[in-house]
Amino acid sequence: MVTPENSKETDIETSIIKVDIAIVGAGPAGLAAAREVSATGATAAVLDSYARPGGQYFKQTPQTFRAKRPGRLHHDYAPAQALFGVAEASPRLTLRTNTTVWTAYGSDNGFSLHCYRPGESSLEVRAKKVILAPGAYDRALPFPGWDLPGVMTAGAIQTLAKSQRVLPGRRIVLSGSGPFLLPVAALLAESGANLAGVFEATRPVVMLRYGSAAWNGRAKLGEGAGYLRVLRRYGVPYRFGRAVVRAEGAGRVERVSVTRLNPDWTIMPGSLETLEADTVGVGYGFTPSTDLSQLFGCEHRYEPTQDASFALHDARQQSTKPGVFVAGEICGIGGSAVALPQGAIAGLAAALDLDPSLSSKSEANSRLARFQAEARQAQAFAGTLNRMFALRPGWQSWATPETIICRCEEVTLGKIQTAINEFDLKNVKAVKLTTRCGMGLCQGRVCGQAVSSFTASLTGRDPAETGSFSNRPIVRPVPLGELVQ
Amino acid sequence: MVRLLLANDYFKVSRKDLDDLRIKPSYEAAEIERGEPFEFSFGGQPVMAYPGETVGTALLAAGIATFRTTRQGGQPRGIFCGIGICFDCLVVVEGRLNQRA
Ligand SMILES: Cc1cc2nc3c(=O)[nH]c(=O)nc-3n(C[C@H](O)[C@H](O)[C@H](O)COP(=O)(O)OP(=O)(O)OC[C@H]3O[C@@H](n4cnc5c(N)ncnc54)[C@H](O)[C@@H]3O)c2cc1C
């Protein structure tokens, strides 16, 4: 059973709960893991920073917004409700929202996760196994004016429209690469937004090259075609091989420059056009939230097509660290179609490891095999999409020396260039220490990828050599009071 | 491309809805009903909000895109990531510094 305890080590209170399995993240992966665990008799705690479960895919509206026709909130409404239902109904599961895991460690006795809860006592979760399902966040590439109010990520726009039911602006442009632009564009169009254009950086020739491999994902392609039909119905222009490479305005975005791109994504000379807009949504794929898996010492592998490192795992979703399971976007960008079966595998495998005499062991194993097949198929399609929409290095030419790269510490590209030349810096760590880029509150989440790429190309070295921002023992900013304990 | 460049007359003509960016009921397939609105003050300016909305939503809905200025360059910042990772949207809420809007 879940056993709440209180320990008063200092005068600040910490609640402790002990469970068999701690699950970080209540997105598709974490909820699928919880569902499987709850069927085995093991206890689990599901922890999530947000106010409501669902993660990015099953993002919910606030509880105080009542929907008369809730079925229309999400095209996958029924599966989402089934997952939420498990977390609510099982006595062996405890779901803690508004709960951010800010540090964690393992010892011989198991794992300990420290959580910060705004306005409440802090929480320590002790568990025998850990399942990490923290998801990903969307990637923006720097260009002149990307720090103006009105430029935001495509994910921010989706969150505002889908969950908060508010439009981000009066005239919107979307720019980026990958299939995620489409649902955001369709959502905006159907919400009555004035969408002036959607610009997909990838060129159609590149897409054709992967045509036959994409056939594996007919169902998902069908979903994409549905979004395109919505855009056509609302007369929203959808253009390939183009991108927003500049935003301008006094105090906020007022207009943007759209250009045609060469195959390597450098700007095609003479193709710059100006468009009136007060909002730009940018989304160039996703960056996995691997801070906790790094902290646990799990091994990661750099994936060039996605320009990011992902947690390695075996067929049972166990990372290279025994007892730490990983699922969803931190294993490779694959969307909910991959996250759901991977989460289920992790949940089953962790529970099986805890109780080898599990009464329904053979049934659990055959369930496991089914989810493994499902995950493999979804991953194959996701891999095709990732290669198709991979970033091309020419995006680096969009920024000028005045362009801010690190938004938190306001470090420009020029400052990074000067530092590298003047001090003969050889890697990202040195660039960080010299320029302060990546040292702000976001801890390098927003600029990390850009700084790595710029450092590699400015030093003429391989990204594997120049490295990335190192990880910190504190994965999320917390008030000092939490640290005092 | 031509239609793209035609400066949309939206800016000039339909100014009647300029007070609010919340999704209009006619576009709400799920027929969302918000609770009772209330008012708060942002830098001295009254802003209307519904329970469950984030500070950022209420400000954006009211047409306020700039939430703060940066420490060094004094540059305006507003909502950027929308999911709590970038810390661009920091505001002071009832005396508490550095709250994400
Ligand atoms: C903004 C955004 C919008 C997206 N929209 C779509 C969409 O419309 N359609 C689509 O197919 N895909 C979408 N995706 C892709 C999405 O990543 C996958 O579809 C899917 O949600 C991944 O599932 P997951 O369980 O791996 O991660 P997520 O769904 O991202 O869930 C991870 C959860 O972990 C929590 N978390 C992370 N770190 C911590 C921590 N330290 N402590 C506590 N909790 C933590 C987060 O709050 C989050 O709720 C979107 C992604 C993003 C970033």
XYZ file of all heavy atoms in Angstrom, chain A residues 24-30 47-50 54-57 59 99-101 133-138 155 158-159 162 180 220 286 292 327-329 335-336 339 476, chain B residues 83, ligand 1:
343
model
N 7.634 8.933 -13.421
C 7.755 10.375 -13.639
C 7.124 10.717 -14.975
O 7.584 10.265 -16.026
C 9.226 10.837 -13.622
C 9.303 12.355 -13.769
C 9.919 10.389 -12.343
N 6.062 11.511 -14.933
C 5.373 11.918 -16.153
C 4.027 11.235 -16.269
O 3.927 10.008 -16.168
N 2.976 12.028 -16.443
C 1.629 11.486 -16.626
C 1.139 11.760 -18.036
O -0.017 12.080 -18.274
C 0.679 12.064 -15.593
N 2.069 11.666 -19.013
C 1.684 11.743 -20.415
C 1.269 10.356 -20.885
O 1.090 9.451 -20.059
N 1.116 10.166 -22.197
C 0.729 8.845 -22.702
C 1.618 7.723 -22.165
O 1.110 6.671 -21.751
C 0.889 8.991 -24.220
C 0.779 10.450 -24.484
C 1.238 11.166 -23.261
N 2.939 7.921 -22.148
C 3.848 6.855 -21.720
C 3.663 6.542 -20.229
O 3.497 5.385 -19.843
C 5.300 7.241 -22.009
N 3.675 7.583 -19.398
C 3.552 7.366 -17.957
C 2.203 6.774 -17.577
O 2.122 5.890 -16.715
N 3.958 10.958 -10.952
C 4.272 12.344 -10.596
C 4.305 13.211 -11.838
O 4.908 12.836 -12.841
C 5.645 12.392 -9.914
C 5.857 11.329 -8.831
C 7.328 11.227 -8.455
C 5.002 11.653 -7.613
N 3.658 14.363 -11.792
C 3.688 15.254 -12.956
C 3.647 16.721 -12.528
O 2.914 17.103 -11.619
C 2.528 14.972 -13.912
C 2.798 15.511 -15.311
O 2.886 16.753 -15.470
O 2.944 14.691 -16.238
N 4.432 17.530 -13.213
C 4.509 18.965 -12.910
C 3.197 19.695 -13.157
O 2.911 20.693 -12.508
C 5.531 19.653 -13.814
O 6.711 18.960 -13.870
N 2.460 19.235 -14.147
C 1.267 19.977 -14.547
C 0.101 19.768 -13.581
O 0.090 18.836 -12.796
C 0.845 19.583 -15.954
C 1.845 19.962 -17.016
C 2.059 19.157 -18.119
C 2.594 21.131 -16.909
C 2.979 19.504 -19.097
C 3.513 21.481 -17.881
C 3.704 20.658 -18.971
O 4.608 21.010 -19.937
N -2.075 13.884 -18.514
C -2.310 13.837 -19.953
C -1.070 14.147 -20.779
O -0.990 13.784 -21.935
N -0.120 14.855 -20.178
C 1.096 15.199 -20.921
C 0.778 16.116 -22.083
O -0.191 16.878 -22.045
N 1.588 16.045 -23.119
C 1.407 16.942 -24.253
C 0.298 16.461 -25.178
O -0.446 17.253 -25.730
C 2.712 17.095 -25.044
C 3.867 17.613 -24.226
C 3.602 18.962 -23.601
O 2.624 19.633 -23.941
N 4.441 19.368 -22.681
N 0.203 15.172 -25.364
C -0.750 14.670 -26.355
C -2.193 14.754 -25.852
O -3.089 15.202 -26.561
C -0.402 13.232 -26.736
C -1.260 12.689 -27.846
C -1.238 13.285 -29.105
C -2.109 11.614 -27.643
C -2.028 12.819 -30.132
C -2.908 11.129 -28.672
C -2.872 11.733 -29.907
O -3.659 11.270 -30.915
N -3.495 16.690 -23.669
C -3.563 17.926 -22.899
C -5.010 18.275 -22.587
O -5.854 18.278 -23.468
C -2.934 19.053 -23.726
C -2.357 20.159 -22.928
C -1.571 21.090 -23.842
C -0.340 20.393 -24.415
N 0.362 21.202 -25.420
N 3.458 18.432 -9.157
C 4.570 17.827 -8.432
C 5.742 17.650 -9.387
O 5.661 16.865 -10.335
C 4.128 16.452 -7.862
O 3.012 16.668 -7.009
C 5.247 15.782 -7.084
N 6.796 18.408 -9.154
C 7.957 18.383 -10.044
C 9.122 17.659 -9.391
O 9.541 18.030 -8.296
C 8.391 19.828 -10.381
O 7.310 20.473 -11.041
C 9.615 19.847 -11.274
N 9.627 16.647 -10.045
C 10.815 15.957 -9.549
C 12.012 16.834 -9.886
O 12.281 17.078 -11.064
C 10.974 14.571 -10.207
C 12.220 13.870 -9.680
C 9.730 13.730 -9.982
N 9.253 8.899 -17.806
C 8.467 9.194 -19.015
C 8.215 10.698 -19.093
O 7.078 11.151 -19.122
C 7.149 8.422 -18.989
N 9.301 11.509 -19.092
C 9.141 12.967 -19.007
C 8.898 13.670 -20.333
O 8.751 14.892 -20.364
C 10.473 13.421 -18.394
C 11.462 12.413 -18.874
C 10.723 11.110 -19.077
N 8.878 12.921 -21.441
C 8.482 13.545 -22.701
C 9.538 14.439 -23.334
O 10.743 14.282 -23.133
N 9.059 15.413 -24.093
C 9.940 16.271 -24.878
C 9.374 17.688 -24.897
O 8.269 17.919 -24.425
C 10.043 15.736 -26.305
N 10.139 18.614 -25.427
C 9.613 19.972 -25.627
C 10.009 20.425 -27.024
O 10.986 19.940 -27.592
C 10.129 20.935 -24.563
C 11.608 20.878 -24.313
C 12.480 21.720 -24.997
C 12.139 19.996 -23.388
C 13.844 21.678 -24.756
C 13.503 19.941 -23.150
C 14.351 20.783 -23.831
O 15.701 20.723 -23.599
N 9.240 21.348 -27.596
C 9.547 21.636 -28.988
C 10.712 22.579 -29.168
O 11.083 23.343 -28.288
C 8.366 22.048 -29.867
C 7.333 22.873 -29.191
O 7.551 23.216 -28.010
O 6.335 23.188 -29.807
N 4.211 24.569 -30.075
C 3.614 23.897 -28.915
C 2.930 24.881 -27.979
O 1.879 24.578 -27.403
N -0.319 25.695 -29.516
C -1.255 24.589 -29.354
C -1.804 24.561 -27.923
O -3.004 24.369 -27.714
C -0.577 23.261 -29.679
C -1.569 22.105 -29.681
C -0.888 20.771 -29.573
O 0.048 20.603 -28.818
N -1.358 19.818 -30.342
N -0.910 24.749 -26.937
C -1.341 24.726 -25.540
C -2.360 25.831 -25.277
O -3.385 25.610 -24.638
C -0.128 24.895 -24.608
O 0.825 23.889 -24.942
C -0.515 24.749 -23.150
N -5.596 24.779 -27.458
C -6.229 23.508 -27.141
C -6.668 23.443 -25.687
O -7.751 22.960 -25.379
C -5.217 22.392 -27.431
C -5.705 20.965 -27.290
C -4.722 20.051 -28.037
C -4.577 18.680 -27.414
N -3.526 17.889 -28.085
N 4.223 17.900 -36.909
C 3.513 18.548 -35.809
C 2.893 19.892 -36.200
O 1.921 20.344 -35.587
C 4.461 18.714 -34.620
C 3.852 19.412 -33.445
C 2.668 18.947 -32.891
C 4.451 20.525 -32.888
C 2.092 19.583 -31.805
C 3.886 21.170 -31.800
C 2.705 20.702 -31.259
N -1.428 7.114 -39.847
C -0.979 8.451 -39.456
C -0.995 9.394 -40.655
O -1.276 10.578 -40.522
C 0.426 8.368 -38.858
C 0.430 8.040 -37.381
C 0.121 9.291 -36.558
C -0.274 8.918 -35.139
N -0.768 10.059 -34.358
N 11.426 18.131 -31.927
C 11.378 18.116 -30.459
C 12.727 17.752 -29.847
O 13.527 17.069 -30.474
C 10.336 17.099 -29.984
C 8.941 17.439 -30.418
C 8.399 16.891 -31.570
C 8.180 18.339 -29.689
C 7.117 17.220 -31.986
C 6.898 18.674 -30.100
C 6.368 18.118 -31.244
N 16.598 13.875 -16.252
C 16.549 12.889 -15.160
C 17.292 11.603 -15.531
O 18.002 11.038 -14.701
C 15.094 12.566 -14.793
C 14.391 13.608 -13.914
C 12.907 13.304 -13.814
C 15.009 13.647 -12.519
N 10.640 5.443 -21.116
C 9.584 5.256 -22.113
C 9.181 6.585 -22.721
O 9.288 7.631 -22.087
C 8.361 4.596 -21.460
N 8.707 6.516 -23.951
C 8.195 7.710 -24.622
C 9.291 8.500 -25.309
O 10.313 7.944 -25.728
N 9.082 9.810 -25.398
C 9.940 10.667 -26.217
C 11.414 10.651 -25.830
O 12.263 10.946 -26.658
C 9.421 12.117 -26.179
C 7.965 12.298 -26.607
C 7.742 12.116 -28.099
O 8.025 11.012 -28.602
O 7.274 13.065 -28.741
N 6.117 10.318 -30.859
C 4.715 10.660 -30.633
C 4.007 9.643 -29.757
O 4.621 8.706 -29.237
N 2.697 9.831 -29.616
C 1.942 8.988 -28.697
C 1.861 7.540 -29.185
O 1.748 6.617 -28.390
C 0.539 9.558 -28.507
O -0.158 9.509 -29.730
N 4.863 6.183 -27.636
C 4.880 6.388 -26.184
C 3.929 5.437 -25.457
O 4.280 4.891 -24.406
C 4.533 7.840 -25.856
N 15.395 20.883 -12.257
C 14.414 21.943 -12.433
C 14.665 23.013 -11.385
O 15.009 22.683 -10.249
C 12.976 21.429 -12.252
C 12.526 20.429 -13.296
C 12.377 21.083 -14.652
N 12.700 20.137 -15.708
C 11.819 19.445 -16.407
N 10.550 19.609 -16.179
N 12.204 18.622 -17.345
N 5.023 25.792 -22.115
C 4.915 24.558 -21.344
C 5.809 24.559 -20.106
O 6.084 23.515 -19.515
C 5.174 23.288 -22.201
C 6.559 23.324 -22.852
C 4.100 23.148 -23.273
C 6.934 22.002 -23.539
C 4.001 21.319 -26.724
C 3.837 19.967 -27.366
C 2.665 19.641 -28.047
C 2.482 18.389 -28.647
N 1.315 18.108 -29.309
C 1.156 16.918 -29.947
C -0.042 16.621 -30.700
O -0.932 17.443 -30.816
N -0.134 15.434 -31.332
C 0.864 14.509 -31.238
O 0.729 13.423 -31.790
N 1.989 14.760 -30.535
C 2.168 15.941 -29.903
N 3.331 16.211 -29.222
C 4.371 15.181 -29.169
C 4.308 14.491 -27.816
O 5.620 14.541 -27.310
C 3.817 13.046 -27.913
O 2.650 12.965 -28.687
C 3.452 12.402 -26.580
O 2.697 13.280 -25.765
C 4.665 11.920 -25.869
O 4.283 11.213 -24.725
P 5.220 11.116 -23.435
O 4.427 10.384 -22.423
O 6.539 10.556 -23.837
O 5.505 12.601 -22.993
P 4.541 13.842 -22.610
O 3.215 13.707 -23.187
O 5.350 15.046 -22.930
O 4.394 13.722 -21.027
C 5.473 13.935 -20.165
C 4.961 14.441 -18.845
O 6.046 14.414 -17.907
C 5.978 15.532 -17.086
N 7.325 15.809 -16.555
C 8.472 15.998 -17.249
N 9.512 16.197 -16.425
C 9.023 16.130 -15.166
C 9.607 16.261 -13.868
N 10.916 16.499 -13.702
N 8.789 16.148 -12.789
C 7.456 15.906 -12.933
N 6.859 15.762 -14.134
C 7.629 15.884 -15.235
C 5.440 16.632 -17.972
O 4.784 17.609 -17.184
C 4.487 15.876 -18.894
O 3.151 15.938 -18.458
C 3.518 17.443 -28.583
C 4.699 17.758 -27.889
C 4.873 18.998 -27.287
C 6.162 19.311 -26.574
